[in-house]
Amino acid sequence: MLSDVMEDYLKAIYVLQTRDGPPVSTSDIAEEVEKTSPTVTDMLSKLADRGLVDREPYTGVELTPEGEAVALEVIRHHRLLEAYLAEHLDYDWSEVHDEADRLEHHISEEFERRVAAALDDPEVDPHGDPIPGADLEPVDDDSVGLAKCSPGDRVTVTRVSDRDDEELAYLDEAGVTPGTEMEITDVAPFGMITVRTPAGEQSLPEAVANSIRVRPA
């Protein structure tokens, strides 16, 4: 049986693989799970011994099919829980991540099935993140980071990171949520990105823009 921490690492590696492609570096994993590199290296050795990751010396790691299946199951639990908390228990979208983190490792498959049925098998969570299906197949995502866009681009917000509740509150107030259509009007040399939304013009720091995924409108 895997520990909660092991599952958290597999989930983090999957997210990084999806965003940047494999292999995933130790330093990127350390930043994602907020641990030191030596701690991460020790855990990656344990995951490799269990056949859940493949390690490439001096390069990084990649999930094996077995490791990917575990990661997708945890992600499915997490995102279904976020959707349930928001839709049925009136949680704000900035509050659901931490609650789902606490619960995702401990729900049964029957509970997962009932939550999915109660939500009519949603495709995305409150932040726009795709929810893997019950078959645990990877979900295609053709979105790009807002920070990679250029002035004049018209885009639709598809996803925003759920990691920072203050950022989520800021974006909610700015009217930048999944489904919002906007135009990039300026990209400053120091990283500020200005967008025009139905709610007006907003200037977003690069760190915030990096948490937003979009596709052409």
Side-chain angles (χ1 to χ4, degrees):
M1 184 174 178
L2 299 180
S3 68
D4 294 357
V5 174
M6 286 179 170
E7 291 184 349
D8 284 339
Y9 271 80
L10 294 171
K11 180 174 71 169
I13 294 168
Y14 180 85
V15 169
L16 292 168
Q17 275 188 191
T18 303
R19 188 186 72 192
D20 303 324
V24 179
S25 71
T26 299
S27 59
D28 283 346
I29 298 169
E31 183 177 354
E32 183 74 11
V33 300
E34 300 180 342
K35 301 292 183 182
T36 64
S37 290
T39 298
V40 172
T41 298
D42 181 60
M43 177 56 73
L44 293 179
S45 178
K46 294 176 181 177
L47 295 174
D49 289 344
R50 289 180 175 241
L52 299 170
V53 300
D54 288 326
R55 302 180 73 184
E56 299 181 26
Y58 311 108
T59 304
V61 299
E62 181 175 357
L63 293 174
T64 63
E66 294 80 5
E68 184 178 83
V70 173
L72 284 166
E73 183 171 29
V74 177
I75 289 169
R76 175 170 167 80
H77 288 178
H78 182 96
R79 294 177 181 173
L80 280 173
L81 286 164
E82 287 194 335
Y84 188 83
L85 290 165
E87 185 168 329
H88 288 279
L89 299 181
D90 296 325
Y91 276 71
D92 187 79
W93 76 330
S94 64
E95 300 173 320
V96 296
H97 176 76
D98 288 345
E99 290 284 12
D101 258 354
R102 284 187 280 269
L103 296 168
E104 65 190 19
H105 306 287
H106 307 295
I107 66 173
S108 67
E109 297 311 300
E110 176 62 16
F111 186 87
E112 174 203 308
R113 187 190 66 77
R114 293 193 182 201
V115 168
L119 296 168
D120 197 22
D121 290 315
E123 294 184 355
V124 297
D125 71 11
H127 313 101
D129 289 321
I131 300 174
D135 58 3
L136 301 181
E137 288 294 319
V139 181
D140 291 333
D141 179 18
D142 59 356
S143 64
V144 299
L146 177 62
K148 295 183 178 179
C149 295
S150 303
D153 288 349
R154 290 180 173 274
V155 298
T156 300
V157 177
T158 59
R159 308 167 60 179
V160 296
S161 172
D162 62 0
R163 294 292 296 273
D164 190 318
D165 55 357
E166 290 184 1
E167 277 187 9
L168 287 170
Y170 172 83
L171 291 173
D172 195 34
E173 186 174 347
V176 179
T177 58
T180 300
E181 293 189 6
M182 55 192 189
E183 178 184 358
I184 289 79
T185 59
D186 186 57
V187 179
F190 52 84
M192 190 71 75
I193 296 175
T194 304
V195 299
R196 183 178 295 115
T197 76
E201 202 162 76
Q202 305 289 340
S203 292
L204 306 173
E206 186 175 17
V208 175
N210 282 332
S211 73
I212 301 169
R213 307 284 296 183
V214 300
R215 64 167 57 100

